[in-house]
Amino acid sequence: MCSPRPELRERLSPDDWGLSPGVNEAILELARAGVVHTVSLLANLPFLEQGLAELRASGVRLAAHLNFTLGIPLEGDTASLTGPDGAFRPFRAFFTRGILGRIDAQEVEREASAQLERLRSLVPIASANGHENVHTFPWLAEPLAKACRQQGILRIRRMVDWSHRPSAFGSRVSARAFERVFPEVEWEETAYLWPTGGLGSASILAKLKRTPGLPLLAHPSVRDDFSALEFSDALRAERVREFQALQ
């Protein structure tokens, strides 16, 4: 059982539930310790349901972590989003295709709806955001807003922490597009624990003081178990170091 600092109580917003057993175990440990605000769930990955009943019973808020860059889509007709192997293209390819106008907005909307429907069939979903913060890309704002509105998901994460400039800038720009389609949207302002930035106890405490009241986006794992999986992740040892720093 981990024993995080009391200053963290209900401040963490861990992403990537379902990515690996190690990620799920870390999030459960933090939820048991009472420091979790919201957990974001990946609908299309194989470990979604591992430990999910206990997570739900802990009473933490649950969010949809809409994913277009890892694993196999839930929706069949996603040619603009997938490679020859039928899996989502990785982040860099996805971003480039978006910039070039090669992402089909209707495919995004259908896949987002399918992911939301799967999650809502298992647990109550209070809000939504994007894996690798893709929901902050302006060209995705309209299809994602339509899917969330149709599913009754009113709260969307908005990054307001300029220590992660791409997400903060993208959130500011895409917010206008979201609001045009989805005027009743409610923004869930969030700050960022940056796992590649040399996290330690002192830096975490400093971040808490600089961002009073805001949930802190986190990416913990109890171990690096990605080598045993079908897919990898840009953050591996960094996730373990982050979890250790949160003790």
Side-chain angles (χ1 to χ4, degrees):
M1 176 71 70
C2 65
S3 301
R5 293 175 176 273
E7 297 93 335
L8 284 168
R9 185 160 188 81
E10 294 187 11
R11 288 291 303 276
L12 294 183
S13 186
D15 274 1
D16 300 337
W17 176 277
L19 183 61
S20 81
V23 170
N24 289 12
E25 290 168 29
I27 293 173
L28 277 176
E29 288 265 345
L30 295 166
R32 293 181 194 119
V35 298
V36 171
H37 177 276
T38 301
V39 176
S40 295
L41 315 177
L42 290 157
N44 70 313
L45 294 188
F47 301 102
L48 169 63
E49 296 188 53
Q50 182 174 308
L52 187 59
E54 182 180 350
L55 183 68
R56 179 179 182 178
S58 73
V60 301
R61 300 174 185 86
L62 302 175
H65 201 42
L66 299 172
N67 174 29
F68 305 95
T69 60
L70 188 64
I72 304 296
L74 299 181
E75 176 66 28
D77 186 10
T78 53
S80 77
L81 304 176
T82 55
D85 60 354
F88 285 128
R89 292 183 175 88
F91 176 85
R92 185 171 296 181
F94 178 78
F95 182 82
T96 301
R97 289 176 65 82
I99 290 287
L100 296 175
R102 296 178 180 173
I103 297 293
D104 187 317
Q106 291 185 335
E107 291 180 8
V108 171
E109 183 180 347
R110 288 196 299 269
E111 177 63 22
S113 294
Q115 292 184 22
L116 289 168
E117 287 171 4
R118 184 181 184 204
L119 293 174
R120 293 180 68 213
S121 74
L122 297 170
V123 292
I125 295 296
S127 60
N129 55 70
H131 182 53
E132 300 188 280
N133 288 311
V134 298
H135 70 293
T136 67
F137 296 169
W139 59 86
L140 293 184
E142 183 173 336
L144 294 183
K146 288 179 178 178
C148 290
R149 190 181 194 193
Q150 184 181 37
Q151 294 286 330
I153 306 297
L154 300 182
R155 294 183 65 79
I156 306 297
R157 176 191 289 163
R158 183 174 183 174
M159 301 301 299
V160 296
D161 184 350
W162 286 87
S163 68
H164 193 265
R165 290 180 179 83
S167 295
F169 179 75
S171 287
R172 178 175 289 183
V173 174
S174 64
R176 300 187 184 97
F178 253 98
E179 289 166 354
R180 282 196 298 270
V181 176
F182 192 3
E184 62 271 40
V185 65
E186 300 173 6
W187 297 111
E188 188 171 78
E189 295 188 341
T190 306
Y192 207 108
L193 282 181
W194 190 226
T196 60
L199 275 182
S201 296
S203 63
I204 290 172
L205 287 174
K207 173 69 79 171
L208 289 167
K209 291 177 181 178
R210 289 197 304 271
T211 57
L214 292 180
L216 296 179
L217 177 57
H219 300 86
S221 182
V222 297
R223 60 184 175 277
D224 177 358
D225 53 3
F226 294 100
S227 60
L229 306 180
E230 296 178 8
F231 46 83
S232 190
D233 182 63
L235 302 176
R236 296 181 56 164
E238 295 90 348
R239 292 178 181 271
V240 179
R241 287 198 295 269
E242 181 177 272
F243 181 66
Q244 293 168 345
L246 291 168
Q247 306 303 302

